Amino acid sequence: MHRSFIAGVGHYIPEKVVTNLDLEKIMDTSDEWIRERSGIVERHFVADDENNADMAEKATHKALDRAGLRVEDIDFIIYATLSPEYFFPGSGCILQEKLGLGTIGALDIRNQCSGFIYGLSVADQFIKTGVYKNILLVGSEVQSRGIDLTTRGRDVSVLFGDGAGVAIISRSENKDRGIITTKLHAEGKYIKELWCEDPGSVKNPRLSHELIDSISHWPYMNGRYVFKNAVTRFPEVIQETLKEAGLNKDDVDLVIPHQANMRITEAVRMRLELPEEKVYSNIHKYGNTTAASIPIAMSEAIEEGRIKAGSLVCLAAFGSGFTWASALIRW
Ligand code: ACO
């Protein structure tokens, strides 16, 4: 068996900044409410001519540079998003064409906030078993076009932002570094607590004027219920991963949680009794970028020198499904 490691990470954030004060101008909300409840100060939205895979393409070039690899070294794409360009085909195919990658395989993953770690786990299996050498793993979201930016949708829409992060997962013969383990979970009985009901094939026809009038095409979130589950599942899955690796929380140099909400991150940090410097947070700048939040955070943590060769890094996520997951990586 081979070992897989993260050879390079990159991210791209669209230029347009939308502050809490900007949101105050278009809905009944306040900077104070948003900061207190979520820690978010601003987020970024895509430009009119910018789409999901455009951001992923930019992040990919950055990650390849850092990995010292060329586009043609990529032999498979895994693409995690809940906001793809189209219902079908997947964004992985769009990115493959943009990168000029001929006929290599492209797999889309629909696991929302946990999508990047689910994708990492799939990539890890392919690399370990020798099927591929360099997998491009993407988390990218255009949330701004799928949220109700009026007072009616304020409980959800103030939380989200756009962006992309990617990692190149490569084969390593060095057994001292790389992905140690990943853990994946789901609990489908809670699908309706955080979901976007329409358009989907449950309705016949899939799309109608009545459906749009019923506003079921905007995401719904039972915020308090999500909060309660998240603060339990995050620590649980982190402990599960550490236990399997025979390590404990004090061995970890940096925990990178999915950037859902500052209050969730703080509650998780306190439950695990970790010092502030060991838990990464950049939600104040970007809001919740769903599948993109972990790779964006990883990329920034590397730039800031908070992840170095030899660092033990724990990734963890929780989100719609419910799904939750974690990964332990020796850098
Ligand atoms: N601005 C101003 N007021 C608002 C807003 C807003 N954007 N949204 C809701 N309110 C109002 C509500 O209408 C309500 O008013 P009322 O008391 O007059 O009825 C009041 O604020 C309180 O609303 P609650 O829903 O009770 O607010 P709560 O304190 O529960 O906070 C929140 C809501 C932030 C969503 C919280 O439940 C939470 O943190 N949940 C976690 C969910 C989360 O972060 N999800 C991220 C996506 S999922 C994931 O990535 C894991």
Side-chain angles (χ1 to χ4, degrees):
M1 288 273 255
H2 303 280
R3 188 83 183 250
S4 40
F5 79 111
I6 299 185
V9 185
H11 71 285
Y12 170 80
I13 305 292
E15 264 176 43
K16 185 178 172 188
V17 180
V18 179
T19 64
N20 294 344
L21 300 175
D22 293 327
L23 293 181
E24 279 184 9
K25 293 177 197 146
I26 56 171
M27 64 175 82
D28 181 12
T29 190
S30 69
D31 177 48
E32 189 192 359
W33 193 99
I34 301 170
R35 277 182 203 239
E36 255 176 29
R37 300 287 206 298
S38 70
I40 298 164
V41 178
E42 58 190 36
R43 73 287 290 140
H44 292 239
F45 285 179
V46 284
D48 290 345
D49 60 351
E50 202 169 33
N51 292 308
N52 196 313
D54 298 327
M55 294 193 293
E57 185 187 8
K58 290 184 175 132
T60 298
H61 289 299
K62 206 162 157 185
L64 284 168
D65 278 353
R66 288 175 173 172
L69 293 170
R70 295 161 306 163
V71 173
E72 53 273 30
D73 294 322
I74 298 168
D75 47 15
F76 193 64
I77 296 173
I78 301 177
Y79 203 119
T81 185
L82 64 64
S83 50
E85 281 85 344
Y86 310 112
F87 207 84
F88 69 87
S91 301
C93 293
I94 298 170
L95 181 61
Q96 188 233 39
E97 171 62 12
K98 279 181 179 296
L99 293 170
L101 277 170
T103 58
I104 67 161
L107 169 71
D108 270 47
I109 295 215
R110 296 184 53 198
N111 285 83
Q112 302 69 246
C113 304
S114 309
F116 186 81
I117 300 181
Y118 265 74
L120 185 69
S121 178
V122 174
D124 186 33
Q125 314 312 314
F126 273 136
I127 299 278
K128 271 187 190 150
T129 49
V131 178
Y132 298 116
K133 273 192 181 161
N134 299 299
I135 297 179
L136 171 59
L137 171 61
V138 179
S140 180
E141 302 288 2
V142 177
Q143 294 284 15
S144 56
R145 294 180 188 150
I147 46 180
D148 183 359
L149 287 162
T150 69
T151 300
R152 189 180 56 192
R154 65 183 180 175
D155 58 325
V156 174
S157 60
V158 299
L159 301 175
F160 291 92
D162 302 340
V166 312
I168 314 289
I169 318 299
S170 298
R171 185 187 293 178
S172 168
E173 303 311 330
N174 180 352
K175 303 277 179 217
D176 295 332
R177 70 164 177 175
I179 298 167
I180 298 167
T181 187
T182 54
K183 290 283 159 214
L184 311 178
H185 294 281
E187 198 169 23
K189 69 181 170 196
Y190 296 125
I191 58 166
K192 296 186 181 180
E193 304 301 338
L194 177 52
W195 72 332
C196 187
E197 186 178 357
D198 290 310
S201 56
V202 168
K203 302 281 160 62
N204 187 10
R206 188 186 284 165
L207 197 57
S208 64
H209 293 291
E210 291 74 33
L211 184 151
I212 292 169
D213 291 342
S214 76
I215 64 160
S216 56
H217 59 296
W218 297 124
Y220 165 79
M221 176 176 71
N222 180 347
R224 291 192 173 185
Y225 204 72
V226 170
F227 190 96
K228 252 174 52 188
N229 278 269
V231 299
T232 307
R233 295 305 191 188
F234 268 110
E236 190 181 279
V237 76
I238 290 170
Q239 295 286 18
E240 182 188 6
T241 310
L242 286 167
K243 191 169 169 209
E244 185 177 287
L247 295 163
N248 72 63
K249 67 178 179 64
D250 299 323
D251 298 317
V252 177
D253 294 298
L254 191 64
V255 173
I256 300 185
H258 157 55
Q259 305 290 302
N261 180 316
M262 192 58 211
R263 286 199 316 181
I264 294 178
T265 299
E266 263 306 287
V268 171
R269 185 181 73 74
M270 278 153 79
R271 282 196 188 192
L272 289 169
E273 297 178 344
L274 288 168
E276 268 178 41
E277 64 275 15
K278 284 202 174 186
V279 180
Y280 195 83
S281 173
N282 60 7
I283 192 159
H284 55 290
K285 295 190 284 184
Y286 307 128
N288 181 339
T289 58
T290 313
S293 89
I294 289 179
I296 292 171
M298 272 201 305
S299 181
E300 290 203 328
I302 293 166
E303 286 170 3
E304 291 161 16
R306 292 180 66 182
I307 300 179
K308 303 183 191 77
S311 296
L312 185 67
V313 177
C314 184
L315 312 179
F318 176 88
S320 161
F322 292 145
T323 59
W324 61 102
S326 75
L328 198 59
I329 303 158
R330 177 69 69 188
W331 221 266

